[in-house]
Amino acid sequence: MGWQMAVGKGILIAAFVLCAATSVRAWWSDGHAVMTEAAVLALPLEVPAFFRAGGQVAAHLSIDADVFKNRRVPTLDNAEYSEHFFNLEYLQGRSFPARRYDFIELCQQLGLDPQRVGFAPYAIVEWTGRLTAAFAEYRRWPEDESIRYKCLVYAGFIAHYAEDLCQPLHATVHHNGKIGADGTAVGKGIHERVDSAPGRLGFTAQALAQGQEVAAFDSLMAGVVDQVVESNSRVQAVYDLLGRWDNADDGQMRALVEERSRRAVHFTASLYLTAWRNSEDIRLPGWLRR
Ligand SMILES: [Zn+2]
């Protein structure tokens, strides 16, 4: 097979990958887009204007982490899958370390498979770190268009993982059915109904952004851990509505989805603000030219 044919085949595969719908554990794309746009809208004026005007780019990028979960790109699918959740109960109340490889080591000590526990806190902290570095470049080269785009791309990835983590079923072993003492799960299929709820209920970015008081985290990892625990504490509220997730007129269901969506907006915007503040202290390497 010639080089050109190989390239042509590659394009065909890429086109297939882009068309295939594979999302299993994630707010569906409409929900991610609207929450991300709201998070950008909710930011205070101290965040640069280009970023506050870039909500649509960040919203577009906030869906890509789910596009990567595709069996036709198996290596990526495998690496990506566990970035979207954290099964808190597996740690049985233990505190978890700030760095990904220390966490993997802890899991090994506890006899846990880290891919089954999940990596969402690390995905969030690492992508926030990437945005922090990109903001530092912006501070030095504020007119550089590529740096501005880069900031919004990274913001989209932060948004995806941060919003996922605020969906309670992304922070628990009971992620698709409440597991009883005998090991059977009650409520299978609930995950998809909760994931699709923000998109189905038609919230607007403006409404979700309204009244948000965004605050930077003193400690980024501590802020993320608090969010894991908070999300996990809302798992029972999700199961209390079992059988009611398809009724768009159910006021309690609507209220819970709105609460979770607003929480996701607040958490995401707080990560953006934290990245902006922390970027002030980043020292860029002397070899870097833009
Ligand atoms: Zn996801």
Side-chain angles (χ1 to χ4, degrees):
M1 188 189 301
W3 179 81
Q4 278 185 319
M5 273 184 72
V7 170
K9 195 176 174 198
I11 290 168
L12 273 180
I13 291 171
F16 179 84
V17 166
L18 287 172
C19 293
T22 57
S23 173
V24 182
R25 292 182 69 164
W27 292 116
W28 281 7
S29 58
D30 294 352
H32 276 299
V34 77
M35 285 186 259
T36 305
E37 215 176 325
V40 172
L41 278 177
L43 288 169
L45 293 176
E46 72 173 276
V47 177
F50 88 87
F51 193 87
R52 287 183 288 109
Q56 290 197 338
V57 178
H60 174 109
L61 266 298
S62 73
I63 296 155
D64 284 27
D66 276 343
V67 179
F68 295 162
K69 289 192 283 182
N70 190 306
R71 288 184 187 151
R72 300 301 290 258
V73 280
T75 305
L76 177 60
D77 179 55
N78 178 262
E80 184 64 41
Y81 185 78
S82 305
E83 302 288 274
H84 299 242
F85 61 87
F86 194 81
N87 292 330
L88 181 64
E89 293 88 348
Y90 279 131
L91 292 190
Q92 298 181 321
R94 285 181 188 83
S95 61
F96 47 102
R99 301 187 303 183
R100 182 183 290 254
Y101 288 96
D102 293 340
F103 166 68
I104 291 170
E105 200 176 307
L106 174 69
C107 287
Q108 283 163 349
Q109 285 165 11
L110 298 174
L112 296 168
D113 175 357
Q115 279 194 297
R116 288 194 64 193
V117 183
F119 291 104
Y122 302 96
I124 293 166
V125 169
E126 290 160 12
W127 278 103
T128 304
R130 291 181 182 106
L131 179 60
T132 308
F135 272 150
E137 288 194 40
Y138 167 79
R139 286 178 187 269
R140 184 146 159 206
W141 295 286
E143 302 306 324
D144 188 308
E145 284 290 318
S146 301
I147 293 171
R148 292 176 178 211
Y149 275 116
K150 180 165 61 182
C151 291
L152 293 167
V153 170
Y154 296 173
F157 281 94
I158 294 171
H160 185 98
Y161 302 120
E163 289 154 8
D164 271 4
L165 194 65
C166 292
Q167 207 275 49
L169 302 183
H170 283 249
T172 178
V173 293
H174 307 287
H175 49 78
N176 191 24
K178 185 112 198 209
I179 304 162
D182 63 353
T184 56
V186 177
K188 265 193 169 304
I190 190 172
H191 193 101
E192 210 173 281
R193 304 320 298 152
V194 180
D195 271 350
S196 62
R200 282 188 285 126
L201 298 183
F203 299 129
T204 65
Q206 285 73 17
L208 292 177
Q210 206 159 38
Q212 295 275 5
E213 287 183 25
V214 179
F217 296 115
D218 292 332
S219 159
L220 177 56
M221 192 45 151
V224 174
V225 171
D226 285 349
Q227 186 51 59
V228 175
V229 173
E230 193 273 348
S231 294
N232 185 272
S233 78
R234 301 300 283 145
V235 171
Q236 189 54 49
V238 170
Y239 281 100
D240 285 345
L241 296 172
L242 201 59
R244 293 161 60 182
W245 282 94
D246 279 324
N247 179 7
D249 297 327
D250 190 308
Q252 261 182 294
M253 187 273 280
R254 200 179 171 86
L256 181 59
V257 177
E258 190 175 351
E259 176 219 299
R260 289 292 87 200
S261 300
R262 286 185 64 82
R263 179 82 190 194
V265 169
H266 186 268
F267 182 48
T268 305
S270 300
L271 293 166
Y272 293 161
L273 183 59
T274 304
W276 173 246
R277 295 245 179 106
N278 289 351
S279 69
E280 206 174 355
D281 298 326
I282 296 274
R283 289 177 62 181
L284 296 169
W287 49 259
L288 189 61
R289 301 276 183 273
R290 294 297 191 187

